[in-house]
Amino acid sequence: MFNCEGCFCYDILPIFGSGSEHLVKKTTLGFYLLGYCIIFIYGLLYCSAVEPQSGLPSPSPRDPLLSPDSHMDVQGYKWVRWRVWLCRLFAVLSLGLLPIVFHWRPRLAVLARCSSCPLALADILLIRDSFGQQHVVEVLTEEMEEGSSEVLGTLEDTEWRDTVQLYKEEKTLLRYYLFEGLRYVWLDRKGAFCRVSVLNEDWTCMDLYGFQKGLSHLEQSLRRRVYGPNLIDVPVKPYIRLLFEEVLNPFYVFQVFSIVLWMIDKYYYYSSCIFIISLLSISISLYEIRKQSVTLRNMARLVTNVTVRRNMGEEECVSSVELVPGDCIIIPQEGMLLPCDAAVLAGECLVNESMLTGESVPVLKTPLPAGEGRYSSETERRHTLFCGTQLIQAKGGRPGGGGAVAVVTSTGFFTAKGNLVSSILYPQPTNFRFYQDSVKFLFILAFVALIGTIYSFVVLLRSNVTWMELVMRSLDVVTIAVPPALPAAITTGTIYAQRRLKSQGVFCISPPRINICGKISLFCFDKTGTLTEEGLDVSGVVEGGPTGFSVLVPDPRHLLPGPMLSGLACCHTVTLLQGEPLGDPLELKMLESTGWTLWEPEGDGRVLDAEFGGHKVLAVMRPPTAGRTSTSESVAIVQRFPFSSALQRMSVVTVGRGGRSALAFIKGSPEMVASLCREDTVPAQFSSKLRNFSSEGLRVLALGYKPLDEKTDLKTIEREAVEKDMQFLGFLMMKNLVKPQSAKVINILRQAQLRSVMVTGDNILTAVNVAKSCGMVGSDEKVIFVNATPHTAQSMPSLRFSLGDGGTQNSIEVITQGLYQGGFGYHLAINGKSFAALCDHFPEYLPKVLMRATVFARMAPDQKTQLVKELQKLNYRVGMCGDGANDCGALRAADVGVSLSEAEASVASPFTSKTGNISCVPLLIREGRCSLVTSFSLFRYMALYSLIQFSAVLILYTVKTDLGDLQFLFCDIVLVTLLAIVMGRGGPSTELHHCRPPASLLALPVLGSLFIHTCTNILGQLAALFITTSQDWYVPLNSTLSGAANLPNMEDTSVFALSGFQYIMMAVVVTKGYPHKKPLYHNVIFLCLLLILFALMTWLVLYPTPIIAKYLQLYEISDMDYKLLLVALAALNFLICFVVEVLIDMGILNCLRLMRQKRSSKKQYKRLNVILSDCPTWPPLNQTLSPAEHTVIGFS
């Protein structure tokens, strides 16, 4: 399990999305100034979004679950010697400026030094990934050993020869590059660099068994050259390189420029303070970056000793770093921490996969079935051991009965653990409007700074100042207009939200997604273990056959000896650990209900093998010694085919004593089991009986069996041969109670107008019953079942909507009852097969079904992921809550994924909750809304602070003066920084409101309020200046001096006093409370600080002591009436701004929108909802539709 508390993404916040992992220090010193770094970095990135030259596609290094269709554009470049020397010359002539620019923009360095060329000849590659981000990588070469071509050429995969024979006439070279931890090798026949994993992606299960004899030393050495070391190596840069990169950061380059400018302008105190803060910030930054890099590397890096089998039959102990795909490894009986992905070939392994899935229940891994089908770790999960998982025990695969044998399938970053570590190091960029608008808004402020620079230049030029002072004053305006702490300040709300979530048992490894929680519009929930209790109780058993079903038997112990009882006792993957049964909770309950006892072989198991006819015994099931079942005999399990979510079933093969009575048992979803049974054995009442049980909310499983021929080789029998022509046995019903918190949470979400959707692998009727129990489907709402069938040899694709609860009502009667009125008068329910057919054959209906569907049943894990992505295409912000086992893909694909796990943090999803129920969902949404509102408030505050100081400086420039050194320091540090830090401490509202907070900073209310407040503040400063100049005792400035040399003076003192009040007032005005945050008075520290700072400013205006006035360069004015007038003016300024803000919150600016034509929403789901609400004939009930007979409801 990853303990992500110390890693990059846990306590350190990315600023503008998960794709930018720049660190923000949570210290006062670093907090204020580190924002410069982000401003300029992202400004450069935003400005230089130039379309690159198209190149040859290469497979993407991203997680295929998140972006299966993604690709990279790769362009090749070759060094041009004269260009390289010319760049070196210009680097000297520019005094090092050109290398700095190249450091900021590596693409420019490539274009300046290299020329475009074919990829086969490239020295440098310019890569544009699927998210539009550009990267520069160097092509590496490695000389292969003599004879490598011949050895590798003997392998079936001819791609190896393409890899190593590019320059065969000279020497054997391997050309490759490393990108985000993954190795890409040059394949001449493909004409592209491809992931090295492509060399083994076509391996079949039979191919893997071919590696059971082991690789030779030469083969292993050559493969290690090609695949690279088996390491998940997180780069840890040395302090010197970190210092170099930090100092050359655009922020610090700008900072050095600013400090030099201030020192020349004699702002010694201010520039010295900024220099010290910058120095401390760099030191803290270097320490934190390296510390967290080391922490993550220690968690990701796994080096251990592994026993490997060689082709000569010997076994040797090697370092796990040397493992390559194809190596045959020996797993000890006591288990181990696995350093690679491997397929089990012999024996069984009990594995704890909580690090990957968050699921704490150990999983039994069985040998891979030998076949010609292509091996895939996803489809063969129950036969695959994943890197980083803990093997608890291994048995049955070695002489003596201990240990297991497996073959390595993936190494390094190509493993499951490597994939997850990569998702932490190189996360998918967060496409969130707030972060995008943040960058755009900085350019608005930069434009304001340009206007101010021009104005100050003109004003100062007319004042006959020196050219040096003219340039310095004009440039100084730039450092004021764009607030350096802006990006850092807006993350404080996220920091506080993350801490509050952690204190309530919700852990986050992707902090930018906290703000995204505030915009969630739809939440998907898994059923079992999420909405319902994890533990199940057996409700009863009904046996079935050609003549029908028997009566319900509440206790399986009362069943007569026979196949049904044996099937319940044997068809499972329960195993023993230190004498205690361990396995899936459902199977544990099922086994417990029979009263049978599980025994496992001891030692080499030869005694048990002999007792059961010489078959390799995996486990023995023994009946109770007393009671009606005493006539039953012990049964040995000799073959297991574990449960698969995709197959919806599992099966076992058993034998009696002496090897007699070989039977195959199958257990799984009723529909799947029935499809694998002979039709003559399935009762005619199958569907009605299943519907009755499922409608009661019971989880229903079906069982089947068949006798096996005595000549059948039970050791090599394949799953397909076992799971066909079965005889139907009956149903097992399990009670799956809804958690008491589920209905309450669903009701909260419903009242907040947030859609709730159930996505489960269970039966559709059971899912509908649970949906009604927890309130997803109201008691007065109808359920319409969507049944879509794919194209077959006998029939065309079809789509049908039928009403639940009998489905006999005709469409006209339903319409007259108002089914289609009021938006959600009905809910659609669809199963996985129909969902697949709908996607393939009726894509025009898919958006409409998604808009109204509430229950998705019998969904495979990949279908859950597909559903999340389809909902996102409708512009929903999708949340997903599951137990982390079969929901990993959906949890990671969703905008907000919440895994219910006892672990503190799991890489299975961005959020992990220890509560074990969905009560964390409203909490997460409330915290997200609070964080988003806080970020808005802080953004507006920092922008207003900048504009207040900007206007004050320009006003003072006009009258030939300026703010003093310590005046700047007092405003920036004492007033603004302290207020910005504590402003975000306010917690979320206790209720979830039906409206969501806005996410756009460029919306009319935001820009309108900033404009009005800025104008009001400027008028307030001008009023203070004019009031001062109109006094009888006013003394004009010395016209022969300018700037700080004119201090102290009356003009500066009046403008400084009012602007100081404005910094405090704006903090109150922009701080929002209801409906998403608690009122301001709940933030006690912020409230106390406001009062203290207001008292401090009032004291500075009314009764400044001579020593304070001297240091702050304030003019001593004795007129108390004038001072009170300044305080009153500040109060009037506050009152006007506060009233304006209240009116804007009430929607006063919306009247401007009435002047333009009403536009439809940009979100597709909102537009489609309007169309469906106005369409009384959809869905067409009890009509069979085909792809050629549809009426499309479209929208533009």
Side-chain angles (χ1 to χ4, degrees), residues 419-457:
N419 192 13
L420 294 176
V421 172
S422 181
S423 69
I424 295 176
L425 287 173
Y426 316 105
Q428 182 180 7
T430 304
N431 183 23
F432 192 45
R433 190 170 183 179
F434 175 74
Y435 299 129
Q436 297 169 348
D437 287 354
S438 301
V439 181
K440 296 176 183 177
F441 194 84
L442 291 178
F443 285 95
I444 296 177
L445 293 178
F447 178 73
V448 173
L450 177 62
I451 295 176
T453 302
I454 296 173
Y455 174 80
S456 60
F457 186 87

Side-chain angles (χ1 to χ4, degrees), residues 203-215 309 325-331 338 341-349 365-371 375 380-385 391 394-398 403-409 616 618 638-641 715-717:
W203 283 353
T204 64
C205 298
M206 189 64 70
D207 291 335
L208 294 180
Y209 273 95
F211 292 114
Q212 195 166 5
K213 295 180 181 179
L215 299 175
R309 179 181 293 170
D327 264 331
C328 183
I329 60 175
I330 308 301
I331 299 171
L338 202 68
D341 285 359
V344 181
L345 301 184
E348 293 182 336
C349 300
K365 304 286 185 171
T366 58
L368 182 73
Y375 169 80
E380 307 292 349
R381 289 188 66 88
R382 297 307 291 262
H383 313 292
T384 303
L385 306 172
L391 274 67
K395 59 186 180 180
R398 300 271 291 156
V405 179
V407 62
V408 177
T409 57
K616 180 63 180 176
L618 303 178
V638 297
Q639 188 68 272
R640 282 193 183 111
F641 300 101
K715 184 177 181 181
T716 60
I717 190 170

Side-chain angles (χ1 to χ4, degrees), residues 18 86 134 214 340 454 542 569 638 688 709 858 1033 1094 1108 1125:
S18 63
L86 191 62
Q134 294 183 344
C340 60
I454 296 173
V542 290
V638 297
S688 60
D709 191 274
R858 291 286 187 237
W1033 39 260
F1094 178 76
I1108 296 296
L1125 185 59

Side-chain angles (χ1 to χ4, degrees), residues 897-1169:
V898 187
S899 174
L900 304 183
S901 172
E902 294 182 1
E904 182 169 303
S906 167
V907 290
S909 63
F911 296 92
T912 304
S913 173
K914 298 179 71 173
T915 56
N917 58 67
I918 64 172
S919 60
C920 61
V921 171
L923 168 67
L924 200 55
I925 297 175
R926 288 190 288 109
E927 286 288 2
R929 291 181 174 183
C930 175
S931 174
L932 187 57
V933 169
T934 301
S935 297
F936 260 77
S937 298
L938 281 163
F939 194 98
R940 294 171 61 206
Y941 177 66
M942 298 306 294
L944 284 169
Y945 139 70
S946 170
L947 293 170
I948 290 170
Q949 194 169 85
F950 176 72
S951 61
V953 168
L954 290 185
I955 290 173
L956 294 178
Y957 276 5
T958 307
V959 296
K960 295 186 176 184
T961 187
D962 196 2
L963 290 172
D965 192 354
L966 292 180
Q967 289 176 2
F968 275 118
L969 200 61
F970 175 80
C971 293
D972 291 353
I973 304 298
V974 177
L975 297 182
V976 176
T977 301
L978 292 179
L979 287 172
I981 288 176
V982 301
M983 187 186 294
R985 288 182 57 89
S989 174
T990 55
E991 296 181 356
L992 199 58
H993 201 263
H994 64 82
C995 69
R996 291 179 295 154
S1000 175
L1001 286 169
L1002 303 182
L1004 181 61
V1006 177
L1007 295 179
S1009 67
L1010 286 177
F1011 177 76
I1012 295 174
H1013 293 329
T1014 301
C1015 292
T1016 305
N1017 291 331
I1018 293 174
L1019 290 176
Q1021 293 173 2
L1022 290 174
L1025 180 64
F1026 292 147
I1027 290 173
T1028 303
T1029 57
S1030 64
Q1031 298 300 316
D1032 297 334
W1033 39 260
Y1034 169 68
V1035 178
L1037 281 169
N1038 186 349
S1039 59
T1040 61
L1041 300 176
S1042 64
N1046 246 330
L1047 293 175
N1049 58 68
M1050 297 181 180
E1051 292 87 343
D1052 165 73
T1053 301
S1054 61
V1055 173
F1056 167 77
L1058 194 69
S1059 63
F1061 280 116
Q1062 288 174 340
Y1063 296 134
I1064 303 171
M1065 294 184 305
M1066 289 302 105
V1068 178
V1069 170
V1070 302
T1071 299
K1072 302 293 182 182
Y1074 179 85
H1076 304 301
K1077 284 186 66 176
K1078 292 180 179 178
L1080 184 146
Y1081 54 81
H1082 282 275
N1083 190 349
V1084 178
I1085 296 179
F1086 179 53
L1087 184 62
C1088 293
L1089 184 62
L1090 283 172
L1091 296 176
I1092 291 171
L1093 293 180
F1094 178 76
L1096 177 62
M1097 276 306 304
T1098 304
W1099 172 68
L1100 285 177
V1101 173
L1102 299 180
Y1103 305 104
T1105 59
I1107 187 170
I1108 296 296
K1110 177 183 177 181
Y1111 278 109
L1112 289 179
Q1113 296 179 287
L1114 299 176
Y1115 194 93
E1116 295 187 23
I1117 301 174
S1118 57
D1119 190 345
M1120 182 57 67
D1121 292 337
Y1122 164 79
K1123 295 178 182 180
L1124 291 173
L1125 185 59
L1126 279 182
V1127 176
L1129 180 61
L1132 178 62
N1133 190 340
F1134 168 73
L1135 181 62
I1136 294 174
C1137 290
F1138 186 81
V1139 171
V1140 167
E1141 189 69 19
V1142 171
L1143 292 176
I1144 291 175
D1145 288 341
M1146 295 173 61
I1148 190 70
L1149 293 182
N1150 291 337
C1151 61
L1152 299 178
R1153 294 177 178 173
L1154 301 177
M1155 300 172 60
R1156 69 181 186 189
Q1157 186 177 359
K1158 186 177 181 181
R1159 294 184 297 184
S1160 58
S1161 174
K1162 294 181 181 179
K1163 290 181 170 51
Q1164 292 190 28
Y1165 75 88
K1166 289 186 177 181
R1167 304 203 305 268
L1168 190 55
N1169 186 52

Side-chain angles (χ1 to χ4, degrees), residues 209-504:
Y209 273 95
F211 292 114
Q212 195 166 5
K213 295 180 181 179
L215 299 175
S216 68
H217 285 281
L218 180 57
E219 286 178 318
Q220 205 274 345
S221 175
L222 292 174
R223 286 173 185 260
R224 192 163 66 248
R225 292 284 187 95
V226 175
Y227 283 97
N230 176 33
L231 277 178
I232 303 174
D233 201 12
V234 176
V236 178
K237 300 174 183 178
Y239 278 113
I240 296 298
R241 183 176 175 184
L242 286 174
L243 179 62
F244 176 78
E245 293 180 353
E246 196 79 4
V247 171
L248 289 186
N249 194 295
F251 156 62
Y252 287 112
V253 174
F254 176 76
Q255 195 75 316
V256 170
F257 162 77
S258 301
I259 291 173
V260 172
L261 181 69
W262 297 327
M263 291 292 286
I264 295 174
D265 206 20
K266 298 181 181 180
Y267 284 99
Y268 300 122
Y269 291 113
Y270 186 74
S271 57
S272 299
C273 184
I274 297 302
F275 174 76
I276 294 172
I277 290 176
S278 300
L279 193 62
L280 290 174
S281 179
I282 290 177
S283 303
I284 295 172
S285 176
L286 296 184
Y287 174 76
E288 289 292 334
I289 292 174
R290 184 170 172 84
K291 174 187 172 184
Q292 290 156 17
S293 296
V294 171
T295 302
L296 186 57
R297 183 185 64 177
N298 293 339
M299 288 190 298
R301 189 182 179 96
L302 173 59
V303 179
T304 185
N305 291 327
V306 181
T307 302
V308 177
R309 179 181 293 170
R310 293 300 176 209
N311 65 340
M312 299 302 293
E314 74 274 11
E315 296 177 357
E316 63 181 19
C317 185
V318 301
S319 171
S320 59
V321 178
E322 300 179 12
L323 292 177
V324 295
D327 264 331
C328 183
I329 60 175
I330 308 301
I331 299 171
Q333 182 174 359
E334 64 274 13
M336 61 184 295
L337 192 60
L338 202 68
C340 60
D341 285 359
V344 181
L345 301 184
E348 293 182 336
C349 300
L350 193 63
V351 187
N352 182 351
E353 294 185 336
S354 58
M355 190 280 294
L356 294 178
T357 66
E359 178 64 54
S360 58
V361 177
V363 181
L364 184 67
K365 304 286 185 171
T366 58
L368 182 73
E372 294 299 331
R374 191 170 78 90
Y375 169 80
S376 168
S377 61
E378 284 301 314
T379 57
E380 307 292 349
R381 289 188 66 88
R382 297 307 291 262
H383 313 292
T384 303
L385 306 172
F386 294 104
C387 178
T389 58
Q390 179 67 54
L391 274 67
I392 301 173
Q393 71 175 14
K395 59 186 180 180
R398 300 271 291 156
V405 179
V407 62
V408 177
T409 57
S410 298
T411 57
F413 275 96
F414 291 99
T415 62
K417 179 181 177 182
N419 192 13
L420 294 176
V421 172
S422 181
S423 69
I424 295 176
L425 287 173
Y426 316 105
Q428 182 180 7
T430 304
N431 183 23
F432 192 45
R433 190 170 183 179
F434 175 74
Y435 299 129
Q436 297 169 348
D437 287 354
S438 301
V439 181
K440 296 176 183 177
F441 194 84
L442 291 178
F443 285 95
I444 296 177
L445 293 178
F447 178 73
V448 173
L450 177 62
I451 295 176
T453 302
I454 296 173
Y455 174 80
S456 60
F457 186 87
V458 173
V459 169
L460 294 172
L461 186 63
R462 296 176 61 183
S463 301
N464 296 321
V465 299
T466 63
W467 277 99
M468 175 65 74
E469 188 173 0
L470 178 64
V471 173
M472 286 191 302
R473 289 278 181 272
S474 300
L475 292 177
D476 192 34
V477 173
V478 178
T479 65
I480 295 173
V482 181
L486 180 73
I490 62 177
T491 63
T492 56
T494 310
I495 293 173
Y496 289 126
Q498 186 180 11
R499 288 180 176 177
R500 288 193 298 267
L501 286 171
K502 183 178 178 180
S503 67
Q504 299 189 61

